[in-house]
Amino acid sequence: MNRGLETAARALAGARRVAVVSGAGISAESGVPTFREKGGLWEQVRIEDVATPEALHRNPRKVWEFYEDRRRNMQAVQPNPGHHAIAEMENVFAEVITITQNIDGLHQRAGSTQVLELHGSLWKAHCLRACGVKRDPFPYPAPELPPRCECGDILRPSVVLFGDLLPPGAMERASQAAADCDVCLVVGTSGAVWPAAGIPLVACQAGRTTIEVNPADTEISGELDLCLRGPAGTVLPALLSRTRELIS
Ligand code: OAD
């Protein structure tokens, strides 16, 4: 047995509260492209054309076409064994909170019930004007591009664009969960985007056990206690299985 995996399983076997911080890598094995790897999404489109508030105001149709394309792709994919292992953890530990940067909804589709979506969701929309209308869910396909609110203004995808604030209270709740957990699992994120990258560091500072699951080194690997190198869809089921053996 891999020594890192055994050490991680022993830490988890003694845990009551687990915080999972996930990024695009957890969905890679479902066929969702990541952002910063070779061939990733940000090599194919320019952030400033499709993922900023300025782009949305300049050309809402173009921004919506980008997100509608992602909605179409993500509707067709399924959660993978990594998502399922995280969902299953809710039956093993007293408390599991999944803090995700992903907007694909795959954690929820796998059965996770405590999911904090730091960067919003592709399946929600809200009015650009402050009329307060929220469309949850906002099913695919949108009736028109850009879709309109009843007030006549444009609806926007409820995702965090570069330059937007995170959803109110999300960072506070995520940081609290990281500070309060026994083990923080950091899965499939490059740790390149702030403030999300700071959440595992809150767990480090609070003296919690931090475990990275990622095939590659990340910007925060050096800060974490253990790094399990491999794809989440293989490592997480193995980790959960060994943890269960140790608990029983
Ligand atoms: P990145 O594309 O920056 O990083 C993906 C990470 O997943 C890398 O560290 C890969 O090594 C890892 N990875 C790839 N395949 C994996 C697998 N099978 N199992 C586990 N890990 C794997 O994606 P994020 O860190 O999620 O924000 O990016 C953070 C944010 O940047 C996104 O939420 C998005 C993006 O710009 C916004 O759009 C606001």
Side-chain angles (χ1 to χ4, degrees), residues 23-26 28-29 34-37 42 67 101-102 119 160-162 187-193 213-218 230-233:
I26 181 92
E29 290 161 83
T34 59
F35 296 96
R36 290 175 186 77
E37 291 180 282
W42 297 147
Y67 282 102
Q101 295 162 83
N102 299 345
H119 290 170
V160 172
L161 301 172
F162 283 88
V187 186
T189 178
S190 59
V193 173
V213 178
N214 196 310
D217 244 5
T218 73

Side-chain angles (χ1 to χ4, degrees), residues 160-177:
V160 172
L161 301 172
F162 283 88
D164 277 337
L165 294 174
L166 264 46
M171 261 318 277
E172 291 75 4
R173 279 191 287 149
S175 302
Q176 195 65 56

Side-chain angles (χ1 to χ4, degrees), residues 175-235:
S175 302
Q176 195 65 56
D180 289 348
C181 72
D182 300 306
V183 172
C184 178
L185 282 173
V186 187
V187 186
T189 178
S190 59
V193 173
W194 290 77
I199 296 165
L201 307 184
V202 171
C204 292
Q205 276 150 18
R208 312 309 180 204
T209 303
T210 48
I211 303 168
E212 179 169 72
V213 178
N214 196 310
D217 244 5
T218 73
E219 301 205 7
I220 55 174
S221 300
E223 307 296 324
L224 308 179
D225 295 316
L226 276 169
C227 297
L228 304 181
R229 291 281 165 252
T234 307
V235 173

Side-chain angles (χ1 to χ4, degrees), residues 78-93:
Q78 299 301 327
N80 66 57
H83 296 106
H84 287 297
I86 292 171
E88 186 55 25
M89 286 179 193
E90 292 190 15
N91 298 321
V92 174
F93 304 103

